[in-house]
């Protein structure tokens, strides 16, 4: 905005030293240092330079650094940077001193000591109170920035000051002309919300723009110099814990202030609707800085508009001219409170509405309390109200909006548009003035999706009809006339740049003002209706009332959608006008539609967001978006961009986070929420471009997912949008409110699946998780467990999605790049205290800075993207979404069904049970009943309740083999049915001697083919249809399929997610698919159906135990009948407490302890299991090392036991044998060391958990008592304090009434007393079995160790079956501990039944094809390397062949014909066992 004319000829008043000493910082500043000097010190030139919003919003090196202190010439940019982050510490920046500053070291030269003291004394006695090194006053920094800012930056600064709960400049004297400026424009984007109570004690919520709000106004000013701080006194009235007004005792305050004398600041006290509110309604407070006697115009305005005047006075003579002004105020009709700084007077009402009060010898809290009462009394007497806008009616002041031509013209144009909306129903405005984005556009979007997602049997003619329908809709859309409203908008968008920017701002402000009241009322109405629906659901309402109330709720939701009307809807209309013209290739009368994208591009470049996805139609207007980006490229060039998107559920703090991070102004009001997705450009400074290699940041903001208002139709659209914005971005911020990521799980699962299916769009997205609203005390170390749980959850979701897509993604990072260990950010609470008067938390701002640094670290790892690439990605990604036909109504897994439906139902049932038992209490209250009779009554009530609530057990037993039989019915027709009926007698494909009976040899063609067929027939008659290499090939294939099935079964996690027939279906389909794939390679045979039957039966027979056991664990954890039966005694205890008339705090404490019990037990057992792992490794030699060490131990144990069956199990099923050994080792440890290790570990963790819970109880009680909170605050604090050790939330108490809990000390006592009873009982009947029963399968020590030792390569040598000892999915060749004698695995010399005595490398030379087949079927890395003399000879396996020769011959029905070398028989068992030690010395054989 234009500034007033500069007048440099300012007289410098002269005053005596004595008088100067009593003056305040404001007055001394104007005397000692002029504004010119100040601006020069701050490197500002008010006459030549304007700070613009565009300058300060760009990304600079300075904005990426935290600044607790800075040099004097950096004060302005540091202040603005912190202010834009909403960091209220912006007013307390430390200034670094230079070498000549006060921190200079003293000279110790004794010869100069006397002279030094003379200098020191002269300085001490000097009346010069100012020196060059005096720091700049913090408010001078703020006001200097304010004076040098353009209109848009001033408005942004004041808006951010308001969010910091700081007072705002109301009347500002120009530092050079002293003309008073009223910056009304700067208040235009500020809304205030508060709660009041009506006469019926009902809470009334109000939200108003501050410039429109009618409130009482209390003005504070002083005459003369006083010892008490007026600003500090005002702070005690408004917010005792926050310096709303800067005062002399604030950190960083200095002796002088240049720019604050005569400034009037304003703030508003907004009540929270609580009994502790100091004022019952919203009250404005104005503070005149400096002596009111020297600032007569400001004093006149304040006293005329105030409801109450408060004047702070020194000792004044009756004839003092300032007493004349006080007398005038005293005789005025407005209430007056006179505060005497140097007198000791009780608060006295001298006459109606006139008070005097002495401040001397009184504490701040006493003054605040007494003064607050007096102000409240005065407000009740005064009928006058203050409206900020009315300040502009005073003469002799400059109003910024009127003084700036562009601002004034922009306002007039916006008001002209608003007049066209007068007398229109808010829910009908869009339909009448913005018709192009209405029903026809929604129909077109739906039809377009149908076109791209055809049904399986859809004909080409139907597709053609859809295309014609789309064109007809576009033609009808084009027929709409452009409304006068839109014509005026397009006309103003073609005006000059400055006017256009003000016009857009004004239009947004006036539209928000127009809709605010109606939207707030609709939200209130929605919340009330939502409460009714929730109550009916909680009561298990089966009547038609619930459906009726839900229909009403949907109606209000539609009203909300229709009533929302902002600048984004006008731009959406502009886009649809353009798309309709382009589609039908026709112009509209009086419109050059080709210019519309250019206008939108100018807006985007200027910092306005552009709608990327229409949130109402759930569609991307690709034609419009890509054309606008083309125009942006024309204006800027093909700039490099880094894209950041954000996802989160509704009200999780997304816009606030973006606003703080980049100084933006995304909507954060509850009545105006983001719909769809918007993108906004943020400029990168020139010095940062070279460093980061991009020119702009593109921020993509999205609407809150799972919005309650849009619940009817949000699920599909949420999932579509989540996929889209993750795909567009280089990095996506996943915003989670609190520490429980459950709210985002289903959305992320959809995103993962979507990217797995995107074949055309090759993307490499990454994400950062942000947990909002975490306790300040939550340290990073405590959050490691939360990170681990999050990683597990994400990996499970990935496996679920990959299972649907039949692909091999095993973990979250296979799909979306995210370092969960380092890139999960924990944000403290946004507010420092309780809204609406709480300022933003400085720690939150620090978290924002850390997040910004993390995001920038992604730059080097991200693909370089230009605007043209972005444009292509927007189109390609949307095409992929349209064409892939994603299953966004994602088939619910068993996990979702049971986790949500069953567990929620159990929780709801249990809480309903608590409330129902209260009804029984009322019936039995006055009846004398003994204990036995009471128990009978309760048992009867319990049985009826459970029977009524849960008529059937929803989780049935499973018969795996029966389900397998049903699924294989199509194969049985050609397989031997009789043998299938006796499935237990079917052959085990893992132990058959030959696969010849399972195959049919392929017939050869041609002349040579007849000869080959004859040879094959002869071999078949001899029972030797397959060659040795074919047998090896099938054996490797069978082993690999079995291993892959084991992995898939583990990924199902049935113990947590439940069993479904689809599990068997997927496994059977996988086996059949693998068989088909195997037969398609160049093999000479095909499998009979009998092989497929036996293979599937063998695999499921092995897996049956695991599947059944996991299903049993799931049933025990989730069956409502079993669950409630466990809870019966606890509920009986609560029932008795009710009957005995216990206080609500006692009963609530009992219920809370009951709710904590299960989670506490689980947490203690899980932690104890993890703690035992290290001790097990330390005490079990077999597990104290790597897998090589374990394998040597297994071979040693096998040798000592001399059990041939165990050897065969180890050779044929190595992984299962390893797992069995680990389980045995752990079992022995748990049994033998139970009392010295397991029990003490449990007891230690029980004590730790008790301490954590007690600490949380104390912290919650302290928090409530300090903040005068209620039980909701207590619960919130309690759950947050335990969030890193317990899975427990306030939702666990849904349906349990606890509003009347108010004795928190009693609650603390009850929980502390009851706590030991809910801890695991280790005193009796506690043993290994009891320990294991409490653990999920994956949390058992043996399963954790199996996971550590067995997550490796299990490929076996095709000759001797030695197992690779490398890690899973390793690079390079396989590696084994030692190759074996090939006869051990049943290999014979070719054409005989004589078991081989040779080693693998010799066999590979004789049968080179085996290597080729090994590569082809198993893995191309299994190379056979000859045995070297430096390695130990295979003594162990030579001894094994000699020891078990007869057993091997009987097992394989073959023989070691011929003499086994005599030197083999010289090896004893001790030789064999001792030879194992050599492997550690020499390493692996290859």
């Amino acid at each position: 905005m234009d500034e007033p004319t500069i007048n440099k000829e300012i007289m410098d008043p002269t005053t005596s030293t004595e008088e100067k000493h009593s003056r305040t910082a404001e007055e001394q500043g104007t005397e000692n240092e002029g504004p010119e000097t100040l601006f020069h010190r701050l490197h500002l030139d008010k006459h030549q330079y304007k700070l613009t919003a565009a300058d300060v919003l760009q990304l600079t090196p300075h904005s990426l650094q935290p600044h607790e202190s800075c040099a004097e010439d950096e004060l302005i940019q540091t202040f603005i940077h912190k202010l834009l982050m909403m960091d209220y510490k912006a007013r307390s920046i430390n200034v670094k001193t230079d070498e000549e500053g006060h921190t200079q070291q003293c000279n110790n030269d004794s010869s100069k000591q006397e002279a030094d003291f003379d200098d020191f004394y002269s300085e001490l006695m000097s009346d010069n109170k100012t020196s060059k090194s005096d720091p700049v006053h913090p408010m001078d920094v703020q006001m200097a920035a304010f004076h040098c800012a353009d209109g848009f930056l001033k408005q942004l600064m004041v808006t951010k000051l308001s969010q910091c709960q700081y007072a705002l400049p109301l009347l500002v004297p120009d530092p050079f002309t002293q003309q008073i400026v009223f910056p009304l424009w700067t208040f235009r984007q500020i809304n205030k919300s508060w709660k009041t109570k009506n006469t019926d004690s009902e809470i009334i919520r109000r939200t108003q723009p501050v410039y429109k709000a009618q409130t009482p106004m209390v003005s504070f000013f002083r005459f003369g110099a006083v010892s008490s701080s007026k600003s500090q006194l005002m702070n005690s009235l408004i917010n005792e814990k926050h310096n709303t007004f800067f005062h002399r005792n604030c950190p960083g305050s200095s002796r002088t202030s240049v720019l604050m004398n005569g400034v009037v600041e304003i703030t508003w006290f907004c009540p929270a609707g609580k009994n502790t509110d100091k004022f019952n309604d919203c009250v404005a407070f104005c503070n005149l800085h400096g002596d009111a006697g020297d600032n007569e115009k400001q004093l006149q305005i304040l006293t005329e508009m105030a409801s109450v005047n408060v004047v702070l006075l020194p000792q004044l003579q009756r004839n003092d001219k300032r007493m004349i002004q006080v007398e005038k105020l005293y005789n005025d009709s407005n209430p007056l409170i006179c505060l005497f700084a140097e007198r000791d007077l009780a608060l006295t009402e001298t006459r109606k509405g006139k008070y005097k009060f002495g401040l001397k010898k009184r504490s701040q809290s006493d003054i605040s309390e007494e003064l607050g009462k007096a102000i409240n009394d005065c407000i009740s007497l005064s009928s006058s109200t203050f409206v900020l806008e009315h300040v502009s009616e005073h003469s002799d002041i400059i109003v910024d909006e009127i003084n700036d031509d562009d601002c004034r013209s922009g306002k007039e144009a916006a008001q002209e548009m608003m007049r066209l909306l007068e007398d229109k129903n808010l829910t009908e405005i869009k339909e009448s003035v913005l018709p192009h984005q209405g029903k026809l556009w929604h129909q077109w979007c739906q039809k377009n999706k149908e076109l791209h997602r055809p049904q399986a049997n859809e004909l080409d003619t139907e597709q053609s009809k859809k295309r014609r329908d789309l064109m007809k809709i576009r033609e009808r859309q084009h027929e709409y006339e452009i409304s006068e409203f839109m014509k005026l908008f397009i006309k103003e968008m073609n005006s000059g740049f400055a006017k256009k920017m003000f016009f857009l701002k004004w239009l947004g402000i006036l539209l928000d003002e127009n809709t605010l009241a109606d939207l707030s009322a609709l939200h209130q109405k929605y919340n009330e209706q939502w409460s009714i629906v929730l109550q009916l659901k909680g009561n298990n309402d089966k009547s038609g009332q619930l459906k009726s109330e839900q229909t009403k709720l949907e109606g209000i939701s539609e009203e909300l959608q229709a009533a929302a009307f902002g600048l984004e809807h006008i731009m959406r209309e502009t886009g649809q006008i353009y798309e309709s013209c382009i589609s039908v290739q026709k112009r509209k009368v009086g419109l050059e539609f080709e210019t519309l994208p250019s206008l939108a591009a100018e807006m985007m470049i200027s910092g306005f967001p552009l709608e990327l996805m229409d949130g109402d139609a759930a569609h991307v207007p690709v034609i419009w978006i890509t054309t606008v980006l083309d125009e942006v490229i024309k204006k800027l060039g093909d700039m490099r961009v880094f894209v950041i998107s954000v996802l989160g559920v509704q009200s999780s703090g997304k816009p606030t986070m973006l606003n703080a991070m980049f100084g933006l102004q995304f909507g954060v009001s509850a009545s105006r929420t983001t719909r769809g997705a918007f993108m906004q450009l943020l400029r990168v400074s020139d010095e940062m471009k070279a460093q980061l290699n991009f020119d702009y940041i593109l921020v993509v903001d999205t609407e809150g997912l799972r919005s309650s208002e849009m619940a009817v139709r949000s699920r599909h659209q949420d999932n579509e949008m989540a996929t889209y914005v993750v795909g567009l971005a280089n990095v996506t911020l996943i915003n989670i409110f609190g520490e429980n990521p459950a709210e985002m799980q289903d959305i992320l699962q959809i995103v993962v699946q979507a990217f797995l299916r995107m074949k055309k769009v090759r993307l490499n997205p990454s994400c950062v998780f942000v947990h909002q609203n975490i306790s300040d005390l939550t340290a990073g170390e405590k959050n490691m467990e939360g990170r681990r749980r999050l990683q597990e959850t994400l990996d499970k979701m990935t496996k679920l999605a990959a299972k649907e897509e039949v692909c091999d993604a095993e973990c979250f990072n296979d799909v979306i790049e995210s370092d969960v260990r380092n890139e999960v950010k924990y944000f403290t609470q946004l507010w420092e205290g309780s809204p609406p008067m709480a300022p933003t938390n400085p720690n939150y701002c620090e978290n924002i800075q850390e997040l910004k640094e993390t995001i920038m670290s992604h730059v080097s790892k991200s693909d370089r993207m230009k605007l043209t690439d972005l444009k292509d990605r927007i189109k390609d990604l949307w095409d992929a979404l349209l064409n892939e036909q994603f299953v966004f109504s994602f088939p619910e897994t068993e996990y979702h069904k049971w986790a949500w439906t069953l567990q929620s139902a159990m929780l709801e049932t249990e809480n309903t049970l608590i409330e129902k038992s209260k009804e029984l209490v009322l019936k039995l209250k006055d009846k004398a009943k003994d204990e036995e009779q009471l128990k009978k009554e309760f048992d009867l009530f319990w049985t009826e309740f459970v029977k009524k609530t849960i008529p059937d057990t929803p989780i049935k037993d499973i018969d795996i083999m029966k389900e397998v039989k049903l699924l294989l019915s199509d194969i049985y027709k050609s397989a031997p049915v009789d043998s299938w009926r006796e499935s237990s007698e079917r052959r085990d494909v893992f132990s058959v001697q030959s696969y010849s009976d399972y195959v049919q040899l392929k017939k050869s063609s041609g002349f040579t083919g007849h000869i080959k067929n004859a040879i094959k027939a002869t071999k078949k008659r001899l029972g030797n249809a397959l060659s040795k290499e074919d047998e090896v090939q099938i054996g490797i294939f069978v082993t690999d399929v079995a291993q892959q099935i084991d992995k898939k079964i583990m990924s199902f996690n049935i113990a947590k997610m439940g069993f479904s027939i689809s599990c068997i279906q997927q496994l059977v389909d996988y086996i059949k698919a693998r068989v088909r794939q195997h037969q398609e390679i160049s093999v000479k045979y095909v499998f009979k159906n009998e092989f497929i039957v036996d293979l599937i039966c063998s695999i499921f027979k092995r897996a049956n135990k695991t599947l059944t056991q996991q299903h049993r664990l799931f049933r025990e954890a989730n069956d409502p009948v079993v669950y409630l039966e466990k809870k019966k005694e606890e509920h009986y205890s609560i029932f008795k407490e009710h009957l005995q008339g216990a206080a609500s705090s006692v009963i609530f404490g009992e219920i809370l302890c009951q709710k904590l019990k299960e989670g506490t037990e689980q947490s203690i057992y899980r932690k104890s299991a993890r703690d035992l792992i290290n001790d097990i490794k330390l005490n079990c030699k077999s597990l104290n090392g790597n897998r090589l060490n374990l394998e040597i131990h297994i071979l040693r144990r096998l040798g000592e036991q001399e059990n041939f069956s165990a050897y065969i199990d180890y050779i044929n099923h190595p992984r299962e044998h390893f797992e069995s050994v680990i389980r045995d080792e752990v079992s022995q440890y748990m049994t033998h060391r139970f009392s010295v290790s397991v029990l003490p570990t449990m007891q230690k963790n029980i004590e730790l958990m008790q301490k954590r819970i007690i600490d949380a109880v104390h912290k919650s009680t302290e928090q409530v008592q300090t903040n005068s909170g209620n039980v909701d605050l207590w619960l919130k604090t309690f759950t947050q304090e335990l969030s890193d050790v317990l899975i427990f939330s306030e939702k666990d108490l849904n349906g349990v009434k606890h509003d009347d809990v108010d004795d928190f000390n009693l609650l603390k006592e009850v929980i502390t007393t009851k706590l030991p009873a809910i801890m695991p009982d280790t005193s009796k009947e506690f043993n290994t079995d009891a320990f294991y029963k409490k653990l999920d399968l994956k949390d058992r020590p043996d399963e954790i160790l199996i996971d550590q030792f067995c997550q490796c390569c299990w490929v076996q040598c095709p000759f001797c079956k030695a197992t690779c000892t490398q890690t899973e999915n390793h690079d390079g060749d396989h590696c084994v501990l030692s190759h074996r004698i090939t006869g051990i695995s049943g290999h014979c010399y070719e054409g005989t039944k004589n078991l081989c005595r040779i080693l693998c490398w010799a066999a590979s030379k004789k049968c080179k094809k085996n290597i080729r087949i090994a590569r082809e079927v198993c893995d191309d890395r299994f190379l056979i390397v000859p045995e070297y003399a430096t390695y130990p000879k295979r003594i162990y396996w030579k001894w094994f062949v000699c020891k078990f020769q007869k057993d091997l011959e009987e097992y394989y029905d073959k023989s070691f014909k011929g003499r086994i070398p005599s030197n083999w028989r010289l090896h004893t068992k001790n030789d064999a066992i001792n030879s194992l030690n050599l492997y550690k010395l020499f390493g692996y054989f290859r």
Side-chain angles (χ1 to χ4, degrees), residues 1241-1282:
T1241 301
M1242 275 289 294
Q1243 290 168 339
K1244 180 192 73 173
N1245 286 321
I1246 288 170
E1247 290 171 5
L1248 287 173
M1249 179 61 75
Q1250 280 185 279
K1251 185 177 184 307
R1252 282 299 305 273
I1253 294 174
I1254 290 171
D1255 288 347
V1257 170
H1258 282 273
K1259 178 69 184 294
S1260 305
T1261 305
E1262 180 185 339
Q1263 185 84 345
V1264 168
Q1265 291 171 345
T1266 303
N1267 295 284
S1268 302
N1270 58 13
V1271 68
D1272 292 330
L1273 176 61
W1274 192 97
L1275 266 178
K1276 182 179 179 181
T1277 308
F1278 182 77
T1279 54
Q1280 286 177 353
E1281 287 295 307
L1282 295 175

Side-chain angles (χ1 to χ4, degrees), residues 38-49:
L38 173 68
F39 282 110
H40 178 73
R41 287 180 66 181
L42 295 173
H43 286 242
L44 294 172
D45 186 346
K46 185 173 185 295
H47 315 300
Q48 304 293 332
Y49 181 64

Side-chain angles (χ1 to χ4, degrees), residues 127 370 694 937 959 1328:
D127 63 353
E370 292 291 314
F694 62 85
E937 292 279 0
D959 186 337
T1328 304

Side-chain angles (χ1 to χ4, degrees), residues 111 246 250 267 365 692 699 729 775 784 834 899 937 1010 1022 1034 1106 1116 1171 1220 1287 1343 1378:
S111 65
F246 194 91
C250 284
T267 192
S365 59
L692 297 176
V699 182
S775 169
M784 288 306 295
S834 301
E937 292 279 0
H1010 291 295
L1022 295 173
I1034 296 173
T1106 301
E1116 287 178 0
D1171 291 347
S1220 176
I1287 300 174
E1343 293 300 324
S1378 170

Side-chain angles (χ1 to χ4, degrees), residues 416-692:
E416 186 179 353
M417 286 187 67
M418 294 304 297
R419 280 192 285 272
L420 296 173
L421 304 181
E422 289 176 358
D423 302 324
K424 290 185 182 292
N425 188 312
L426 186 60
T427 58
E428 298 171 358
I429 287 178
K430 283 195 290 191
E431 190 176 342
S432 60
V433 301
L434 308 176
H436 291 79
Q437 64 183 275
K439 293 178 181 177
L440 289 178
W441 163 236
H442 288 210
Q443 288 174 17
W444 188 92
C445 294
Q446 183 59 37
K447 187 68 69 176
N448 190 44
K449 288 182 178 178
E450 292 173 7
L451 175 67
H452 286 83
R453 300 170 184 176
Q455 299 298 314
N457 57 351
E458 197 167 286
L459 301 175
D460 289 343
T461 53
E462 293 171 314
Q463 287 278 293
S464 299
K465 182 179 182 300
K466 286 179 182 176
R467 291 189 182 91
R468 291 195 299 271
D469 290 343
L470 283 172
M471 184 53 67
K472 287 178 182 177
I473 293 171
R474 280 297 194 194
E475 288 170 351
R476 290 170 59 197
Q477 186 187 27
H478 185 265
E479 289 171 3
Y480 281 126
E481 290 186 2
I482 300 177
S483 65
E484 290 300 317
F485 183 86
M486 285 303 299
K487 286 178 181 176
L488 190 53
F489 175 77
I490 295 169
K491 173 191 167 188
E492 291 300 329
M493 286 297 292
N494 283 287
S495 59
F497 179 77
K499 178 189 174 183
K500 177 165 53 182
M501 291 300 103
F502 274 111
F503 161 72
L504 288 169
K505 279 280 189 181
W506 270 115
L507 187 57
I509 290 166
L510 296 178
L511 284 170
D512 285 350
E513 179 189 324
N514 188 53
T515 59
L516 182 62
D518 288 332
L519 282 174
S520 297
L522 278 172
H523 275 279
Q524 177 77 10
K525 185 178 175 183
Y526 184 92
N527 292 335
E528 291 170 358
Q529 186 63 29
W530 179 239
S531 298
I532 294 171
V533 170
L534 282 180
Q535 186 176 359
L536 289 172
K537 284 183 176 180
N539 295 337
N540 294 319
D541 183 80
K542 305 295 183 183
S543 67
Q545 186 183 358
L546 176 59
K547 188 174 181 181
S548 172
E549 298 297 341
Q550 284 178 320
T551 303
K552 290 179 185 177
L553 190 68
E554 291 167 13
I556 302 170
S557 176
E558 291 172 2
E559 285 185 68
L560 275 168
Q561 182 180 345
F565 186 18
L567 196 57
E568 66 272 22
H569 298 98
I570 298 173
M571 290 310 300
R572 185 189 295 172
E573 183 75 2
T574 307
Q576 284 313 301
I577 291 172
Y578 177 81
E579 284 202 341
S580 66
C581 292
I582 284 290
S583 298
V584 301
Q585 291 295 301
K586 293 180 184 177
R587 292 183 174 276
K588 282 185 176 283
V589 178
L591 173 68
E592 294 182 11
F593 74 90
E594 296 92 342
T595 64
L596 297 180
S598 178
L599 301 177
E602 286 181 14
M603 286 182 63
M604 191 174 178
I605 294 167
S606 300
F608 286 89
L610 178 69
E611 186 176 56
L612 177 62
M613 176 182 279
D614 183 334
D616 294 324
H619 206 282
V620 175
V622 174
I623 298 172
W624 170 246
I625 296 294
T626 54
T627 311
V628 171
L629 287 176
D630 281 334
E631 291 296 322
V632 171
I633 293 167
K634 285 180 185 177
K635 295 175 186 295
L636 294 178
D638 197 4
M639 296 287 103
R640 301 161 298 176
V641 291
F642 182 78
V643 184
I644 301 169
S645 65
V646 60
L647 277 175
V649 297
Q650 189 183 38
S651 301
S652 60
K654 300 184 306 301
T656 303
M657 179 174 68
L658 293 176
N659 293 348
M661 198 182 313
F662 299 115
L664 306 176
Q665 287 183 283
F666 285 117
V668 294
S669 167
S671 59
R672 286 295 308 278
T673 54
T674 307
R675 295 299 318 282
F678 291 82
M679 56 184 182
Q680 186 168 349
L681 279 175
L682 191 69
R683 188 155 54 97
V684 174
S685 67
D686 292 337
E687 57 265 50
M688 287 295 290
K689 288 179 182 178
Q691 180 182 336
L692 297 176

